[in-house]
Amino acid sequence: MSEQLAPQQAPLVAPGDRSVWATLRARPLFWVCSGVLAVLAIIALLPGPIAGIFGQPDPRACNLADSALEPGGAHVFGTDLQGCDIFANVVYGTQTSLFIGLLTTVLCLAIAMVLGTLAGYYGGIADRIVARLTDVFLGFPFLLGAIVVLNSIGARSPVTVSLVIAFFSWPTLARLVRSSVRTVRSAEYVQAASAMGLRDRHILLGHVIPNSLGPVLAIATTMVGSVIVAESTLTFLGVGLRAPSISWGLQLSTAQSYFQSEPHLLVFPSIFLTVTVLSLITLGDILRDALDPKGRS
Amino acid sequence: MIRFVGRRVLELAIVFVGVTFIIYVMVFTLPGDPIAALGRDRPLPEAVQAQLRAQYHLDEPVWLQYLRYVGGLFAGDLGTGFDGRPVGDRMAARWPVTITLALTAWAIEVVIGVLLGLVTGLRNGGLLDRTVLVGTILATSIPVFVLGVTAQLVFGLQLGWFPIAGTSAGWPSAYLLPAIVIALFGLASVTRLMRGSVVDTMRSDFVRTLTAKGMPRRNIVGVHVMRNSVAPVLTFLAIDLGYLLGGTVVIEAIFNLPGIGALLFDAIKTHEGPTVVGVATALILIFLATSVLVDLVNSLLDPRIRHE
């Protein structure tokens, strides 16, 4: 999605100790982001028990008599207009957001690996077709395309929303895989493998793909964050998820109309959304710095 | 030059056909027969269905329907909304708001982004530099609508510095807050780009020569470094104007500004399919046109681009 420049970092590891893991380990931010993401992953995997910590395990157990309660008491984050517990909804929303973020990114990675490897390794006509195809997709704002397509799809579940976002966002990764594979292709060990008469399948799976995966995975981490933003923005606009799905975007979309009288409806989903996205994007940046030799010198 | 223009226009044509085809296939050829569904549980007579199909050209092959649709686009026909008015007409009345908003945001990006980039580039590694770096990461990570709603809550409602919605207060007070919010994302990129560019330029040979021959630092930075490092930023700024025009959807909805983005948002809320498609298509076409224009102007300014 957006291209970001790597932040300039002073070298933090002693020269000679330049393995990726050593570089990562030395950066406190890496641990902060991983910690936050680990907590979010636990929340997403066990939403029921986590939401139950404060005694409101069911996000759909709503009582209209408790409409728009301030935070405190039985409802730590308060309740929304329908009287549903905001904490339980935010917790279940974590599951939805991470699910869509990961599913979309995995789909994009799959498409990008196949097309990017074909284009980068074989070149020629395959390369030109993939290049034109990515030109088309990167040639216009992603949000507008997604609005048009989602608007014409009636039933929108997390899976369909993922499919549509993936449909528009694979080209960034495909270009990256292509350039990564092109660099690896001319490496001596690949030439050696090919001189030894290994089959293309062996060269690709055993040598080219594993060695070109690093930078791609770093960008994929950032992409999970961008996808989560995209989903919540589309949902906020009314073309993403719909009730009965539970998502931060939906919560914010309802809350926006009442922000003057009930600001607490906005605050908690916003914080969760921002912290999640911030950790993913920062982690992606750190990974890329660590994997990019120029960033480490 | 002519070859360059030709190649760029050809690329534009490919993207244009690709985009319109994706939209067309996605929107108009999804499974389900709208004509058969018109009568709900009391199906229309065959003859009426056939007549309606002929009227809307639905009995023709898909490629011919697609050509008709593209032909309509060239003639400025973006489709008709449910109220019977052409989408193009409804958009016309709303352009001033969107253009004002986009230009205000753009001006903020230009002035503040270039200045911040210059200052942080010159004080590479200082406290200000690091603060700005953290700021740019925050600005690119927080979703625009979260920023928008938060700004509305804090600066509009609690501090009361800006009107919270509508355009009745006029320019600049009604536009300033939404413009700052949409400018932040681009602002972060402009700052980073400009900073990197300034750092590179400061290391170049000609700056060392100028310093050596005793030119005051103010002149070196103000005239030479500025001019040489602003070029890559200009390209970004130009393309970003196209993005801003499209990116106003979210912010116009939040701040209730009656522009093109709000039209799109309202059409989504009221399930007016044709209007959604028409407005989004128009915004995409504007974006495509801007990016080609930027390339052409760039190639005039910097001949090296033509020979890439």
Side-chain angles (χ1 to χ4, degrees):
Chain A
M1 311 209 185
S2 64
E3 270 192 56
Q4 283 161 359
L5 302 170
Q8 299 283 318
Q9 272 294 327
L12 290 168
V13 283
D17 183 13
R18 287 277 169 93
S19 77
V20 172
W21 175 235
T23 318
L24 287 178
R25 209 171 42 189
R27 297 197 54 180
L29 253 187
F30 169 72
W31 294 106
V32 174
C33 293
S34 311
V36 171
L37 291 174
V39 170
L40 286 167
I42 294 171
I43 293 179
L45 287 173
L46 305 164
I50 302 273
I53 291 176
F54 297 106
Q56 303 289 340
D58 187 357
R60 295 197 175 92
C62 311
N63 184 356
L64 266 179
D66 296 338
S67 177
L69 291 181
E70 295 281 311
H75 304 278
V76 258
F77 288 179
T79 59
D80 65 13
L81 291 171
Q82 309 297 323
C84 313
D85 185 64
I86 291 183
F87 181 71
N89 272 282
V90 167
V91 162
Y92 275 84
T94 314
Q95 193 178 36
T96 316
S97 285
L98 289 188
F99 172 77
I100 290 181
L102 288 174
L103 177 63
T104 308
T105 308
V106 167
L107 285 172
C108 289
L109 261 180
I111 305 172
M113 287 314 290
V114 174
L115 292 184
T117 312
L118 284 180
Y121 192 74
Y122 293 106
I125 191 122
D127 194 17
R128 255 176 278 160
I129 292 174
V130 173
R132 285 292 87 81
L133 214 56
T134 50
D135 277 351
V136 169
F137 279 93
L138 296 174
F140 63 95
F142 150 87
L143 194 67
L144 293 171
I147 287 178
V148 170
V149 173
L150 280 166
N151 191 57
S152 56
I153 298 178
R156 297 190 293 257
S157 66
V159 175
T160 43
V161 172
S162 294
L163 285 173
V164 173
I165 300 180
F167 178 73
F168 285 104
S169 36
W170 61 270
T172 328
L173 279 184
R175 276 200 181 171
L176 200 73
V177 173
R178 174 189 171 275
S179 64
S180 197
V181 165
R182 277 189 82 86
T183 336
V184 174
R185 185 182 65 167
S186 48
E188 279 170 4
Y189 56 83
V190 174
Q191 288 174 2
S194 136
M196 279 161 60
L198 282 186
R199 288 193 189 148
D200 275 2
R201 195 161 56 102
H202 282 138
I203 300 178
L204 284 176
L205 292 178
H207 300 283
V208 174
I209 291 180
N211 283 297
S212 46
L213 211 54
V216 179
L217 286 182
I219 299 296
T221 312
T222 309
M223 193 172 156
V224 178
S226 322
V227 169
I228 291 178
V229 173
E231 179 271 316
S232 56
T233 309
L234 289 166
T235 302
F236 184 80
L237 287 174
V239 286
L241 297 171
R242 283 178 186 160
S245 293
I246 294 177
S247 109
W248 297 331
L250 270 178
Q251 284 181 279
L252 290 168
S253 166
T254 343
Q256 203 260 322
S257 322
Y258 302 94
F259 80 97
Q260 300 196 36
S261 50
E262 316 292 346
H264 74 274
L265 299 181
L266 277 175
V267 172
F268 299 105
S270 300
I271 292 177
F272 267 70
L273 179 58
T274 305
V275 168
T276 309
V277 173
L278 199 58
S279 324
L280 283 165
I281 289 182
T282 315
L283 184 65
D285 266 8
I286 295 174
L287 285 176
R288 190 177 48 176
D289 275 7
L291 288 161
D292 179 11
K294 274 186 286 180
R296 276 190 281 157
S297 62
Chain B
M1 188 64 198
I2 292 172
R3 273 189 63 193
F4 174 78
V5 174
R7 209 181 57 206
R8 199 61 192 83
V9 170
L10 190 71
E11 276 173 29
L12 172 77
I14 294 174
V15 176
F16 174 80
V17 172
V19 173
T20 48
F21 194 70
I22 292 171
I23 293 178
Y24 186 77
V25 169
M26 285 290 173
V27 176
F28 296 104
T29 58
L30 279 174
D33 183 349
I35 300 293
L38 269 180
R40 309 256 167 176
D41 44 347
R42 284 192 300 167
L44 296 172
E46 263 313 309
V48 178
Q49 286 197 24
Q51 192 248 324
L52 281 172
R53 283 204 180 89
Q55 186 184 338
Y56 293 105
H57 307 291
L58 291 173
D59 49 353
E60 291 169 357
V62 172
W63 61 268
L64 195 61
Q65 293 186 40
Y66 171 70
L67 284 184
R68 252 179 223 291
Y69 159 76
V70 171
L73 285 183
F74 273 110
D77 175 14
L78 293 163
T80 310
F82 284 172
D83 58 355
R85 286 169 65 197
V87 174
D89 287 3
R90 293 180 66 184
M91 288 177 72
R94 288 164 175 262
W95 275 118
V97 173
T98 300
I99 291 175
T100 314
L101 180 63
L103 284 181
T104 314
W106 198 65
I108 294 172
E109 275 181 24
V110 174
V111 176
I112 301 185
V114 169
L115 266 180
L116 268 185
L118 185 66
V119 173
T120 51
L122 291 175
R123 299 200 188 143
N124 187 2
L127 181 67
L128 181 74
D129 187 23
R130 276 186 233 168
T131 319
V132 170
L133 179 70
V134 173
T136 56
I137 294 178
L138 279 176
T140 44
S141 304
I142 304 177
V144 155
F145 67 96
V146 170
L147 271 179
V149 175
T150 314
Q152 203 178 24
L153 190 64
V154 175
F155 299 106
L157 198 66
Q158 290 173 348
L159 296 174
W161 293 351
F162 299 98
I164 48 173
T167 48
S168 51
W171 194 87
S173 68
Y175 290 93
L176 211 50
L177 193 56
I180 292 173
V181 172
I182 37 171
L184 271 180
F185 190 88
L187 184 62
S189 309
V190 174
T191 309
R192 283 182 179 198
L193 260 179
M194 182 71 193
R195 180 190 171 283
S197 190
V198 167
V199 170
D200 284 348
T201 315
M202 286 301 283
R203 286 200 199 117
S204 60
D205 292 337
F206 76 89
V207 171
R208 194 165 358 113
T209 311
L210 291 174
T211 318
K213 76 171 194 174
M215 185 185 258
R217 191 176 149 89
R218 194 160 17 112
N219 288 5
I220 298 179
V221 171
V223 180
H224 299 273
V225 173
M226 196 62 186
R227 198 172 63 195
N228 280 285
S229 36
V230 94
V233 182
L234 283 182
T235 316
F236 175 86
L237 279 171
I239 294 177
D240 201 48
L241 188 61
Y243 264 111
L244 282 175
L245 282 174
T248 51
V249 185
V250 179
I251 223 67
E252 283 180 8
I254 292 176
F255 286 92
N256 205 7
L257 303 172
I260 302 284
L263 179 66
L264 183 55
F265 181 73
D266 293 341
I268 293 171
K269 291 282 177 211
T270 51
H271 304 287
E272 272 195 62
T275 312
V276 175
V277 176
V279 175
T281 311
L283 289 173
I284 288 172
L285 297 184
I286 289 169
F287 179 80
L288 292 183
T290 332
S291 61
V292 172
L293 217 67
V294 169
D295 273 7
L296 295 185
V297 172
N298 257 333
S299 72
L300 287 177
L301 294 176
D302 184 353
R304 281 173 298 183
I305 294 173
R306 272 177 253 161
H307 302 296
E308 259 175 23

